[in-house]
Amino acid sequence: MIELYYAEDDPDIARNVKEYLEQKGLKVTIYSTIAQIRQALKIHVPTIVLLDWNMPDGHGDALCQWIRSRWKELPIIFLTVRGDSRDIVAGFHNGADDYVVKPFELEVLYSRIQALLRRTRNVTDQYLSCAGIFIDQNSRTVSCHLEEINLSAAEYELLLYLMLNKGKTVTREKILEQVWDVKGSYVNNNTLTVTMKRLRDKLHQPPCLKTIRSVGYRMEDTL
């Protein structure tokens, strides 16, 4: 499912956009302040972001820069009343992929979202996130609450496998098979236990990485 975060302080516009896009099958979350959407992004990366420019606690251009500095390929669309050519140029300069001026037609907005996602369709799978832990599969980098974490190859592959199966319990046997055996590195249960301990220590003992006693492990989002 396409997940969309929308920063908009006008409740009527926010409601209309949310209702229309959800009828099209998108999952839309509204944030009425920059602080709220920043906090949400520190926990989970959506498929695409819509930004208003004038927000009660700041400006969308600064937020766009902040997002782009952390997720270089996350699709961003400005949706704003500021239609002056200088504002539009500034929006693109600050990292936006598209710019829609209010008033707008909902059908046109949806078409622009679809067009942008067609151009960036691989980004949906590039970023994995769970409760503040992020993986950028293109660069093979990992961060925890925006702090970059240096993992060994085995630790990275273990975390990646758990993130790709987020919400599912995976057995120790399956992990050994997928993380080590398929690469020709036949190891025992103790190797998994040690690698998991090191991974947890580096990620500051994240509550989202759960041990399922006598079975295996599960990554799941936490409130």
Side-chain angles (χ1 to χ4, degrees):
M1 175 181 286
I2 296 170
E3 290 185 85
L4 185 147
Y5 283 1
Y6 181 19
E8 173 61 71
D9 65 330
D10 186 312
D12 293 330
I13 295 175
R15 183 179 62 255
N16 289 337
V17 169
K18 179 180 174 68
E19 289 178 354
Y20 182 83
L21 293 181
E22 288 189 339
Q23 288 174 3
K24 297 294 186 179
L26 282 67
K27 179 181 179 183
V28 180
T29 306
I30 305 297
Y31 299 95
S32 59
T33 66
I34 288 176
Q36 288 176 354
I37 194 169
R38 279 176 61 122
Q39 185 59 37
L41 285 163
K42 290 178 182 179
I43 298 171
H44 178 71
V45 177
T47 313
I48 186 169
V49 175
L50 293 186
L51 298 180
D52 191 8
W53 192 297
N54 298 315
M55 298 290 288
D57 57 341
H59 294 112
D61 58 337
L63 175 59
C64 187
Q65 289 179 329
W66 181 84
I67 294 172
R68 188 58 71 224
S69 69
R70 288 156 178 82
W71 302 283
K72 298 185 184 304
E73 298 177 68
L74 179 62
I76 301 172
I77 298 177
F78 266 111
L79 185 57
T80 173
V81 71
R82 296 177 64 155
D84 185 274
S85 60
R86 290 173 297 179
D87 292 327
I88 296 172
V89 170
F92 284 112
H93 179 75
N94 287 316
D97 298 290
D98 202 352
Y99 199 105
V100 178
V101 178
K102 301 174 183 175
F104 60 94
E105 296 293 333
L106 290 168
E107 295 88 345
V108 173
L109 173 62
Y110 177 61
S111 296
R112 301 286 279 268
I113 291 171
Q114 285 185 306
L116 177 55
L117 292 179
R118 281 196 298 271
R119 300 196 301 270
T120 60
R121 56 185 177 274
N122 64 319
V123 177
T124 304
D125 300 321
Q126 176 181 342
Y127 298 113
L128 302 175
S129 59
C130 185
I133 299 171
F134 299 94
I135 294 180
D136 182 336
Q137 294 191 77
N138 284 4
S139 63
R140 291 178 63 88
T141 55
V142 175
S143 62
C144 183
H145 297 290
L146 305 186
E147 172 197 354
E148 188 165 340
I149 306 296
N150 184 26
L151 299 182
S152 69
E155 292 160 356
Y156 174 84
E157 294 296 338
L158 174 56
L159 179 63
L160 177 62
Y161 184 69
L162 292 170
M163 292 278 263
L164 288 171
N165 290 276
K166 186 172 72 170
K168 302 176 184 177
T169 297
V170 287
T171 65
R172 292 178 64 89
E173 292 77 11
K174 193 66 175 177
I175 294 173
L176 287 169
E177 173 189 322
Q178 295 297 315
V179 175
W180 282 278
D181 291 356
V182 295
K183 299 177 177 63
S185 302
Y186 301 103
V187 299
N188 57 29
N189 264 285
N190 186 60
T191 300
L192 172 54
T193 300
V194 171
T195 306
M196 178 62 75
K197 182 181 184 306
R198 289 174 178 167
L199 177 61
R200 278 184 159 139
D201 287 344
K202 289 184 178 181
L203 296 175
H204 313 300
Q205 304 300 322
C208 62
L209 206 175
K210 300 183 180 299
T211 298
I212 310 303
R213 190 170 182 178
S214 302
V215 179
Y217 303 95
R218 182 174 68 247
M219 293 283 293
E220 63 181 24
D221 286 310
T222 54
L223 296 177

